[in-house]
Amino acid sequence: MKTSYKTIASLVLAVSAAPALANWSVNVGAITVAPQDSSSHLNVVETVAGLPANSTELSVNNNTQLGITIDYQLNKNWTIELIAATPFSHDIQVKGSAINGLPIGSSKHLPPTLLAQYHFDLGDSRFDPFIGLGLNYTTFFQEEVSGELVSTLQALDVTDANDKVELKLKDSVGLAMQAGVNIKLADNWSAHLMLSKMDIETEGRVQVNGTTIQSVDVTIDPYVWMIGARYSF
């Protein structure tokens, strides 16, 4: 009898949870961050290296990771989406002047983003286009300076072999905009295509023995696109 009660209770819980679960969808696929970068000038580096004033900036390369986004449907038109991914890794280089391409270092970051999506009703259940607006929080970690930067600073007599050179990046909060479409392939499966524009700004600091010797404001503002598979519960 106890077994029967347990079975009945399990069925009741499953049935009661089904409507709530039906509001959830998961998208998994390749997600790319493509910075549209710009920065303030490396004025200290320019002075020490004898370069023309305002001739240098920083650039940040693209990176692709595994993207996982989770959707909760509030009603026919409105959905809340959380964008997540495995950590992105970016190389940072000098752009411009005689030291163009000099590696500064690298950093990893996670940009969790929460958006409100509006889904358009086109009268065709196979196509589900949407736009979204929300907030992005980007946290940087595992910042590392390049060996080339350390060697260059030593060659310019800014540092010596006993000095500790570090790279620090501030976290960022900004707006995010989005557009995309879900294309239904089967009962629970769809293709998921998404393009976002994110407002990411940070301050980069090169430090020697804990003291900042060069500070740069960096605007990353990447396009973020994702191509993946969608499963709706």
Side-chain angles (χ1 to χ4, degrees):
M1 183 65 70
K2 289 183 178 179
T3 301
S4 298
Y5 285 145
K6 288 181 179 179
T7 302
I8 293 172
S10 298
L11 289 172
V12 170
L13 287 173
V15 171
S16 62
L21 191 61
N23 293 334
W24 293 90
S25 298
V26 177
N27 308 299
V28 179
I31 187 168
T32 297
V33 170
Q36 308 299 298
D37 50 67
S38 63
S39 78
S40 58
H41 302 291
L42 308 177
N43 59 314
V44 175
V45 172
E46 292 167 356
T47 299
V48 172
L51 299 171
N54 301 331
S55 63
T56 59
E57 295 184 11
L58 292 182
S59 66
V60 183
N61 71 335
N62 297 359
N63 190 240
T64 299
Q65 292 292 330
L66 175 66
I68 303 173
T69 65
I70 301 172
D71 296 352
Y72 181 76
Q73 186 178 35
L74 300 174
N75 55 42
K76 182 179 179 181
N77 296 109
W78 289 99
T79 294
I80 300 297
E81 179 173 80
L82 175 65
I83 299 177
T86 52
F88 293 94
S89 180
H90 295 281
D91 295 325
I92 305 166
Q93 297 181 333
V94 175
K95 178 172 60 176
S97 79
I99 58 172
N100 182 66
L102 174 69
I104 297 295
S106 62
S107 176
K108 292 186 177 182
H109 84 271
L110 286 172
T113 305
L114 188 65
L115 302 113
Q117 291 180 344
Y118 183 82
H119 291 249
F120 298 92
D121 183 4
L122 300 182
D124 186 343
S125 61
R126 295 174 300 170
F127 295 94
D128 175 27
F130 58 85
I131 56 174
L133 181 66
L135 284 176
N136 162 263
Y137 172 73
T138 297
T139 180
F140 298 91
F141 59 99
Q142 292 186 16
E143 301 103 317
E144 297 181 356
V145 293
S146 70
E148 290 90 338
L149 176 62
V150 173
S151 298
T152 301
L153 292 175
Q154 291 177 4
L156 294 171
D157 293 326
V158 176
T159 63
D160 59 40
N162 296 318
D163 289 324
K164 183 179 181 180
V165 183
E166 297 177 288
L167 174 66
K168 302 291 184 180
L169 297 171
K170 281 189 175 181
D171 292 352
S172 169
V173 177
L175 291 175
M177 298 177 290
Q178 182 190 67
V181 62
N182 300 313
I183 304 172
K184 192 169 184 178
L185 304 175
D187 288 342
N188 298 96
W189 291 96
S190 302
H192 177 70
L193 307 174
M194 176 273 287
L195 174 66
S196 295
K197 177 69 170 176
M198 297 184 181
D199 176 19
I200 301 177
E201 298 180 358
T202 184
E203 180 188 48
R205 302 187 306 277
V206 175
Q207 297 183 336
V208 177
N209 301 326
T211 300
T212 299
I213 63 168
Q214 176 71 74
S215 177
V216 182
D217 294 323
V218 184
T219 299
I220 300 175
D221 288 359
Y223 284 108
V224 179
W225 60 80
M226 179 176 176
I227 300 174
R230 176 182 180 85
Y231 184 84
S232 300
F233 294 93

